[in-house]
Amino acid sequence: LRVLKFEGIWREEVELPSNIGNLVHLRFLSLKGSRVEWLPSSLGNLVCLQTLDLRVYGKWEKIKVPNVIWKMKELRHLYLPVRYTGKLKLVTLGNLQSLVNVAGADCDLTHLAELTNLRKLFIEGGVKNMEEMLKSTGITFNHLRSLSLRVDTNEVIPMNMVLSCPHIYKLKLSGRIREQSLEGLQGYENLTKMLLYHTGLQLESLKVLEKIPNLRMLGLHACFDENVTEVVVSEEGYPNLEFLEVSGLTALESWRIEKGGMPSLRRLYIAACWELRAVPEGLENVTTLKELTIDRMPPEFCSRVGEGGEDFRKIQHVPSLLIAHIQEDYLTGKHAATYILFAIYLF
């Protein structure tokens, strides 16, 4: 047996047999989405594994991962549980290309820097000592192309970890960011995809984002400080951005794109921004826009973009407009039916 996928079995507990290590020819083993409570130490016998996916189903209590993964020296892709216990030795995994959900407290950055084939790194929580470690060692991760950092609510994202990865093209940050700590990203010419979650951004940080030269995809999810109610995109902002998602920005009231801003934008997704009064002023000047999606927004907002609405002039050049899941509790009868899913194609 070379491939074993035991995925999505979550209605009842899945118990791995203790002798699973007898399947010594396995190259691929995945328990993704299955309800697994215990991992046997015999996993260490699977020395031919190239992919090991332990992203088990929704376990709130930490699952213990036995310290045997270091024996799998052919491993290319390692996906750990979101929450786990156990100190893992990983320095022997010289072929590793993807390391996902490694605990920050479990990270020996000097060892990770030795994994020169590593391209994708996702670190989960426990990063309190990471900044000091980076300052004292001066490590750089020139080989990384994709980096994700998610910190606990009482922690701050160690931006010097981000700045030690000069060649990344994809960056995902979840957690609070210190003011002005994004400035170093303006020189990141390879950075094309960026996702920000719950970062508490101030207006000055947004001015930095729009100057990242080759950014093509940007997702902003509940990432503004609660005092940010208005956003202005400057006339030279986001020169190469093609896709923008704004969602969960619950304090945002208005948004303006100055003429010349976002000159390459093709797709715009707006969702769950409850206080936003209208689609961005100046959107009519973004002639490249091909698709606008409005999701989980109030009916007052959605009605503005329909033909005859106050914002129709801003979006009448857009070939595809999708309005989905309009949010209004009191809608009933035929009116509710029209508001559930409404798609317009303006060609």
Side-chain angles (χ1 to χ4, degrees):
L1 193 65
R2 300 295 195 271
V3 175
L4 177 57
K5 291 180 69 175
F6 211 83
E7 298 182 346
I9 312 300
W10 53 270
R11 293 185 181 275
E12 58 185 28
E13 183 181 342
V14 174
E15 184 173 341
L16 284 185
S18 59
N19 61 351
I20 192 172
N22 292 345
L23 303 178
V24 293
H25 298 290
L26 275 182
R27 305 301 198 267
F28 182 103
L29 173 61
S30 176
L31 307 175
K32 183 179 179 181
S34 288
R35 212 173 122 202
V36 177
E37 305 287 329
W38 175 74
L39 297 171
S41 58
S42 69
L43 285 173
N45 296 336
L46 306 179
V47 294
C48 294
L49 271 184
Q50 297 182 4
T51 298
L52 176 60
D53 194 336
L54 300 177
R55 290 175 292 183
V56 296
Y57 171 75
K59 183 172 173 60
W60 292 107
E61 296 179 4
K62 294 182 178 181
I63 184 172
K64 181 174 176 56
V65 178
N67 185 23
V68 295
I69 295 176
W70 63 271
K71 300 178 182 180
M72 306 172 186
K73 297 180 181 178
E74 298 299 316
L75 208 57
R76 267 70 165 170
H77 308 285
L78 174 58
Y79 303 90
L80 293 166
V82 174
R83 296 170 59 83
Y84 70 90
T85 60
K87 187 76 174 175
L88 300 181
K89 176 183 175 184
L90 302 173
V91 69
T92 58
L93 306 181
N95 291 309
L96 203 61
Q97 299 173 19
S98 304
L99 177 56
V100 174
N101 294 335
V102 63
D106 202 28
C107 278
D108 187 324
L109 296 181
T110 56
H111 288 168
L112 289 183
E114 295 175 19
L115 303 179
T116 55
N117 287 308
L118 194 62
R119 298 293 180 266
K120 180 178 181 179
L121 176 62
F122 286 17
I123 298 177
E124 288 280 339
V127 296
K128 290 181 178 178
N129 299 320
M130 196 171 288
E131 287 197 77
E132 291 77 8
M133 193 183 304
L134 286 165
K135 287 177 183 177
S136 62
T137 59
I139 296 172
T140 57
F141 296 85
N142 294 311
H143 45 285
L144 279 184
R145 299 295 179 264
S146 177
L147 176 67
S148 174
L149 296 173
R150 184 164 72 176
V151 300
D152 300 329
T153 53
N154 59 338
E155 294 181 327
V156 175
I157 289 176
M159 282 303 294
N160 59 347
M161 177 64 197
V162 178
L163 299 177
S164 68
C165 307
H167 302 300
I168 53 173
Y169 69 85
K170 184 176 181 180
L171 176 63
K172 178 180 177 181
L173 302 176
S174 180
R176 193 158 49 91
I177 294 178
R178 290 193 184 96
E179 187 65 14
Q180 299 180 340
S181 60
L182 292 173
E183 290 182 354
L185 295 179
Q186 293 183 46
Y188 274 43
E189 296 187 356
N190 295 321
L191 186 57
T192 58
K193 299 179 181 181
M194 192 170 184
L195 293 90
L196 300 177
Y197 295 84
H198 305 288
T199 48
L201 292 183
Q202 302 281 352
L203 286 176
E204 289 305 311
S205 297
L206 293 173
K207 292 298 181 184
V208 173
L209 287 182
E210 67 177 28
K211 294 177 183 177
I212 299 175
N214 294 309
L215 196 61
R216 285 176 169 75
M217 299 180 68
L218 176 62
L220 303 174
H221 179 73
C223 65
F224 289 177
D225 182 85
E226 60 184 12
N227 296 318
V228 177
T229 59
E230 180 181 14
V231 172
V232 179
V233 177
S234 68
E235 61 182 35
E236 296 180 351
Y238 303 102
N240 291 298
L241 193 68
E242 297 176 1
F243 173 75
L244 174 64
E245 174 188 340
V246 290
S247 61
L249 306 179
T250 53
L252 185 65
E253 298 176 0
S254 64
W255 177 12
R256 187 173 83 254
I257 304 172
E258 295 184 353
K259 193 170 183 179
M262 296 186 173
S264 304
L265 191 67
R266 296 179 60 84
R267 297 168 59 207
L268 174 60
Y269 178 82
I270 301 172
C273 298
W274 310 119
E275 299 300 323
L276 189 61
R277 295 190 289 264
V279 294
E281 197 66 40
L283 196 61
E284 64 273 17
N285 299 318
V286 185
T287 57
T288 56
L289 191 63
K290 302 299 181 187
E291 181 181 305
L292 171 61
T293 301
I294 297 170
D295 188 15
R296 289 165 289 147
M297 293 291 286
E300 296 82 4
F301 181 95
C302 299
S303 64
R304 295 176 63 99
V305 299
E307 190 166 357
E310 297 171 76
D311 289 343
F312 183 71
R313 62 176 179 82
K314 303 177 188 176
I315 57 95
Q316 59 184 338
H317 64 289
V318 182
S320 176
L321 169 65
L322 176 66
I323 303 176
H325 311 112
I326 296 177
Q327 300 293 297
E328 187 58 79
D329 293 337
Y330 65 79
L331 289 175
T332 58
K334 64 179 182 180
H335 298 291
T338 60
Y339 279 132
I340 290 174
L341 184 62
F342 176 47
I344 302 174
Y345 295 93
L346 298 176
F347 265 146

